[in-house]
Amino acid sequence: MRQIKHPTIEQVELIDILYALADPTRMEIVVRLAKAGRKLTCGELDLNRPKSSMSHHFKILRSAGLVETVVDGTEHMNALRLEEIEQKYPGVLESVLKATQP
Amino acid sequence: MRQIKHPTIEQVELIDILYALADPTRMEIVVRLAKAGRKLTCGELDLNRPKSSMSHHFKILRSAGLVETVVDGTEHMNALRLEEIEQKYPGVLESVLKATQP
DNA sequence: TCCAATGTTCGAATATAATCGAACATTGGA
DNA sequence: TCCAATGTTCGATTATATTCGAACATTGGA
């Protein structure tokens, strides 16, 4: 595939966001993307898991509307859809991210 | 059992809260408890499901620390632990509840 | 053109969760 | 004391999720 399909922000459902976040691996991905504040490749995230597992989790993050993935050559650049989600569900992602801080 | 065991607020984990909320039935319970703003019995919630199913969901809501259940005679009064959770994870529950409004 | 790099998809195994009927426990009242 | 009411627990079934190796697809560069 050239580029990956994502839901529009209108299609995003709160329950899917919560579901996507309710997994330690995916939460870790989201937290790292938020901390990075920029697009990261799966490789850069380096969560020490097989590629197929990471791909699975990214698929869920994408379908929930949390992550946007742009294909760039052989790499896939992933970014949090923070602003969009904040606009649709103010405070949800922000407070969750804040809650994960040490 | 006389009274039911609940986690202290210190024991409450964000991921468990998100997991508990990531189910339509449980989300509905939480929303109704929030709207009611008072303790409700399972019966009052009336989600049209078997008792054993409701009991199962309440167990998860309790163990996540979202709901507190006080035994009162033959009834079990359920309340959202809103203030405690707001204090520990500011904005999380509040923003989720706001996001569920029409 | 060939190939290494990056992820995705497939498939199968395993693990976890939801569902719900039936039996049980506890309580308060008749 | 008996019993109806309210939930819980148990057990079995079904449904969903996670995991990950292997095969595949796409790309850019040698």
Side-chain angles (χ1 to χ4, degrees):
Chain A
M1 92 276 326
R2 274 205 93 46
Q3 286 294 333
I4 292 175
K5 263 282 194 179
H6 297 84
T8 64
I9 191 62
E10 289 78 23
Q11 295 172 323
V12 169
E13 305 260 15
L14 179 66
I15 204 119
D16 295 330
I17 289 182
L18 297 176
Y19 169 76
L21 292 173
D23 172 276
T25 303
R26 292 192 292 265
M27 177 63 93
E28 183 64 28
I29 292 172
V30 167
V31 166
R32 294 207 189 185
L33 287 176
K35 275 188 185 151
R38 63 180 179 87
K39 292 184 173 61
L40 295 180
T41 63
C42 299
E44 281 180 300
L45 284 156
D46 187 29
L47 292 192
N48 216 28
R49 281 191 185 63
K51 293 187 300 176
S52 52
S53 299
M54 293 301 282
S55 190
H56 165 73
H57 288 301
F58 269 106
K59 197 172 185 176
I60 289 167
L61 288 169
R62 263 181 238 122
S63 69
L66 270 169
V67 167
E68 183 177 32
T69 303
V70 180
V71 179
D72 174 24
T74 65
E75 294 184 328
H76 290 203
M77 305 305 299
N78 302 289
L80 250 196
R81 295 175 67 178
L82 188 54
E83 290 78 10
E84 287 174 284
I85 295 171
E86 269 304 302
Q87 192 140 14
K88 177 154 188 185
Y89 301 123
V92 172
L93 245 187
E94 186 202 33
S95 61
V96 166
L97 288 170
K98 191 168 285 178
T100 61
Q101 311 226 11
Chain B
M1 90 279 323
R2 276 205 94 45
Q3 287 294 334
I4 292 176
K5 264 281 192 177
H6 297 83
T8 65
I9 190 62
E10 288 79 22
Q11 296 171 322
V12 169
E13 305 258 16
L14 178 66
I15 204 122
D16 295 330
I17 290 183
L18 297 176
Y19 169 77
L21 292 172
D23 173 277
T25 303
R26 293 194 291 267
M27 178 64 93
E28 184 64 28
I29 292 172
V30 167
V31 167
R32 293 207 190 186
L33 287 176
K35 275 190 184 149
R38 63 181 180 87
K39 293 182 172 60
L40 295 178
T41 64
C42 298
E44 282 180 297
L45 283 158
D46 186 29
L47 291 191
N48 215 29
R49 281 190 185 60
K51 294 189 298 176
S52 51
S53 298
M54 292 300 282
S55 191
H56 164 74
H57 287 302
F58 269 106
K59 197 172 187 177
I60 289 167
L61 287 169
R62 265 182 236 120
S63 69
L66 270 168
V67 167
E68 183 176 31
T69 303
V70 179
V71 178
D72 174 24
T74 64
E75 294 184 329
H76 290 203
M77 305 304 299
N78 304 288
L80 250 197
R81 295 175 68 178
L82 188 54
E83 290 78 9
E84 288 175 284
I85 295 172
E86 269 304 303
Q87 192 139 15
K88 179 155 187 183
Y89 300 123
V92 172
L93 244 186
E94 186 202 33
S95 60
V96 166
L97 287 170
K98 189 167 286 177
T100 62
Q101 311 225 12

